[in-house]
Amino acid sequence: MTRYPRDLRGYGAHPPDPQWPGGARIAVQFVLNYEEGGENCLLHGDPASEAFLSDIPGAAPWEGQRHWNMESVYEYGARAGFWRLHRLFTGAGIPVTVYGVATALARSPEQVAAMKSAEWEIACHGLKWIEHRDMPEEEEARQIAEAIALHEEVTGELPRGWYTGRCSMRTVRLAARTGRFAYLSDCYDDDLPYWRRMEGRDQLMIPYTLEANDMRFAATPGWVTGRDFGDYLIDAFDTLYAEGQDGAPKMMSVGLHCRLIGRPGKIAGLRKFIEHLQGYDGVWCARRIDIAEHWARVHRPVDRERPSEMDRDSFVARFGGVFEHSPWVAERAHALELGPAHDSAAGVHNALCRAFRRATPDERRDVLTAHPDLAGKLAAAGRLTAQSTAEQAGAGLDHLTDEARTEFQRLNANYMEKHGFPFIIAVRDHDTAQIRAAMERRIDNDNETEFSEACRQVERIAELRLRDMLP
């Protein structure tokens, strides 16, 4: 593998200001997963009963049998839990996004009517609430298409958001391929939405959450009391709200399930959290589609260079001159395991430096000797690379007096005679006086020490050059 598809960089140290409506310091988004009637069940054509996300300790699938107790737990979510949550959110005036399993929605017409009456967004949560990891690609694509069709048939509208949950490695790609969704949410990797290039288009991803999620009432370690859940949500909110006050607003997702948080002893913690956030100004409670529309309007996708996707010749043509007259550094860097994390100045710099550091001492010495003397004859003759010319000019080395130029040439000659390579320093970090002082100081270093220092300076020069070329 020479290309690593996972993106471990994201927005990096400086995420964008989301510019939430009204200058909000945080966007809070509640998701209600409606899965009841779409779970594994022999009645639904599945080979075994459901075993996931219930209050039954140690539940396991019953092959070839219906699990009466499991079915009853799920039924509680539809019969009682949903309505308790509906009253809570409509009473608080907070909009909700429903992740609706299409077959579950089809079996719950009164609940769907209540969702629509409350103007909740109903996003698609797949055709059935089952595992997709071992499903053949053609079958998964077929089920996605069937889920979309059934969702529209039941709700009267096409879904604009998609979340599978129990997905495969192909799910996100297959959902993006449809071109139908304003956002996908099968990701948990950020506190802000982001664009991802897939299937030839920019797909908006709105990350979901598995930690600010009531599913941990049915997991270990998890919540024991409603207060546990409420306290965790409050701590998360307070942290993100403070970041928003410091100029870095974020988004907070809260995941809910009718059969879990819909129980009386658990919903108290959710109610406590809602009361807490309603005590603050600058809180935007929104549906996911509202967030998607805002992001698409304010933060449109930007077509940018992706070095990790360049072929070898393009990569070398673009970055072959970063290490002075040494395109082999870029050639070897391109052969490394590059990925989205390398699509930045820091990423390409890391790859180039790895190739440089792997090289033999003689190869690295060749890179050093490829660098021109500071204020030397090549500069006077106008024969430097454009980058070197600009760098030396930026440090004032192109406006030296005759006396100063003569002194630089003397120091260069003495340094070269002792160490066997030109004096190298990242001139953009220094002024003329500092450069001269460094020359006078470093000339007395032993050769090994100075070789290491010169290599560090070459890497620093490369870093500064790449900052001019990439974000």
Side-chain angles (χ1 to χ4, degrees):
M1 180 171 61
T2 60
R3 289 299 173 264
Y4 190 68
R6 296 169 63 195
D7 184 356
L8 303 180
R9 176 175 179 264
Y11 288 120
H14 304 289
D17 180 351
Q19 302 176 48
W20 298 133
R25 299 185 179 107
I26 185 173
V28 180
Q29 205 290 298
F30 293 91
V31 167
L32 180 58
N33 292 268
Y34 196 86
E35 299 154 352
E36 289 75 11
E39 77 278 13
N40 282 284
C41 179
L42 265 64
L43 295 176
H44 306 159
D46 302 306
S49 64
E50 185 56 69
F52 192 44
L53 293 188
S54 80
D55 286 320
I56 300 176
W62 288 11
E63 297 290 338
Q65 299 183 59
R66 291 176 61 187
H67 193 316
W68 183 268
N69 291 350
M70 181 64 73
E71 291 179 19
S72 187
V73 168
Y74 269 76
E75 288 160 11
Y76 182 92
R79 294 161 56 107
F82 171 82
W83 298 109
R84 185 170 284 117
L85 289 159
H86 185 268
R87 289 190 294 271
L88 173 62
F89 282 110
T90 56
I94 292 177
V96 169
T97 288
V98 175
Y99 285 166
V101 172
T103 51
L105 296 176
R107 296 178 173 118
S108 300
E110 291 189 23
Q111 291 89 336
V112 170
M115 297 171 194
K116 296 183 66 175
S117 177
E119 297 185 352
W120 290 358
E121 176 200 4
I122 309 177
C124 194
H125 194 10
L127 180 66
K128 300 170 68 175
W129 179 229
I130 59 175
E131 290 286 356
H132 292 70
R133 63 184 182 183
D134 297 323
M135 191 179 291
E137 181 169 337
E138 298 77 11
E139 174 61 17
E140 187 171 9
R142 186 198 68 76
Q143 289 201 16
I144 290 173
E146 186 177 345
I148 294 170
L150 181 57
H151 184 104
E152 182 182 22
E153 181 182 310
V154 170
T155 69
E157 298 178 343
L158 284 167
R160 299 184 62 197
W162 178 275
Y163 174 76
T164 303
R166 299 162 82 169
C167 62
S168 74
M169 287 298 299
R170 300 170 295 276
T171 300
V172 174
R173 175 172 55 83
L174 293 174
R177 180 184 293 175
T178 68
R180 291 181 174 273
F181 298 109
Y183 69 90
L184 305 180
S185 285
D186 277 300
C187 57
Y188 314 93
D189 49 2
D190 214 298
D191 296 311
L192 289 173
Y194 62 90
W195 296 97
R196 181 171 180 174
R197 191 75 178 171
M198 289 187 295
E199 297 294 313
R201 63 189 295 270
D202 291 301
Q203 175 65 62
L204 183 63
M205 308 296 293
I206 302 184
Y208 185 45
T209 177
L210 298 180
E211 45 87 35
N213 192 311
D214 69 353
M215 66 181 291
R216 291 178 61 186
F217 280 112
T220 302
W223 320 122
V224 176
T225 68
R227 185 174 294 105
D228 294 335
F229 185 46
D231 287 347
Y232 186 88
L233 296 181
I234 289 171
D235 286 345
F237 172 87
D238 289 349
T239 297
L240 294 173
Y241 190 87
E243 291 180 7
Q245 287 181 307
D246 291 337
K250 301 295 194 310
M251 171 184 170
M252 177 180 177
S253 295
V254 180
L256 306 169
H257 299 77
C258 301
R259 63 192 174 279
L260 296 175
I261 199 68
R263 295 282 180 174
K266 296 171 183 172
I267 201 170
L270 176 61
R271 183 177 290 110
K272 176 184 176 183
F273 170 62
I274 290 174
E275 292 170 353
H276 179 80
L277 71 86
Q278 288 184 324
Y280 287 79
D281 294 325
V283 179
W284 183 39
C285 289
R287 304 171 305 172
R288 290 176 97 72
I289 190 59
D290 301 324
I291 292 170
E293 290 175 345
H294 171 82
W295 205 266
R297 183 173 61 254
V298 178
H299 299 280
R300 299 181 64 83
V302 177
D303 192 18
R304 57 185 176 86
E305 280 187 291
R306 291 178 170 85
S308 68
E309 298 178 8
M310 292 180 177
D311 60 40
R312 180 177 177 273
D313 290 345
S314 299
F315 188 90
V316 174
R318 182 74 167 116
F319 304 112
V322 172
F323 277 68
E324 196 86 2
H325 297 297
S326 304
W328 62 265
V329 177
E331 291 173 2
R332 295 182 189 180
H334 185 267
L336 297 174
E337 184 189 82
L338 304 183
H342 294 91
D343 293 338
S344 65
V348 174
H349 181 249
N350 181 270
L352 293 175
C353 287
R354 286 180 60 193
F356 178 62
R357 293 165 191 166
R358 282 185 177 185
T360 67
D362 286 344
E363 288 173 323
R364 283 182 286 157
R365 186 175 293 272
D366 287 344
V367 174
L368 302 186
T369 57
H371 278 259
D373 290 340
L374 297 182
K377 294 179 180 179
L378 290 178
R383 293 171 55 195
L384 299 181
T385 65
Q387 289 171 313
S388 289
T389 298
E391 289 159 357
Q392 293 203 22
L397 296 177
D398 61 336
H399 288 92
L400 296 175
T401 65
D402 291 342
E403 181 182 359
R405 183 174 291 104
T406 298
E407 180 61 13
F408 262 98
Q409 290 173 352
R410 182 187 68 80
L411 289 169
N412 276 327
N414 292 343
Y415 183 95
M416 184 72 175
E417 181 179 359
K418 178 173 181 180
H419 295 294
F421 48 82
F423 175 78
I424 300 172
I425 192 169
V427 295
R428 288 166 63 175
D429 290 335
H430 308 280
D431 59 27
T432 302
Q434 291 170 331
I435 293 169
R436 176 173 173 173
M439 292 179 75
E440 293 174 340
R441 181 182 71 255
R442 285 171 48 187
I443 197 171
D444 293 328
N445 286 339
D446 62 79
N447 191 258
E448 182 179 354
T449 298
E450 194 53 26
F451 180 80
S452 296
E453 179 60 29
C455 288
R456 282 193 291 271
Q457 292 297 322
V458 165
E459 293 182 7
R460 173 60 175 165
I461 292 168
E463 178 183 7
L464 294 170
R465 291 176 175 179
L466 285 164
R467 287 184 184 179
D468 293 337
M469 301 169 71
L470 291 168

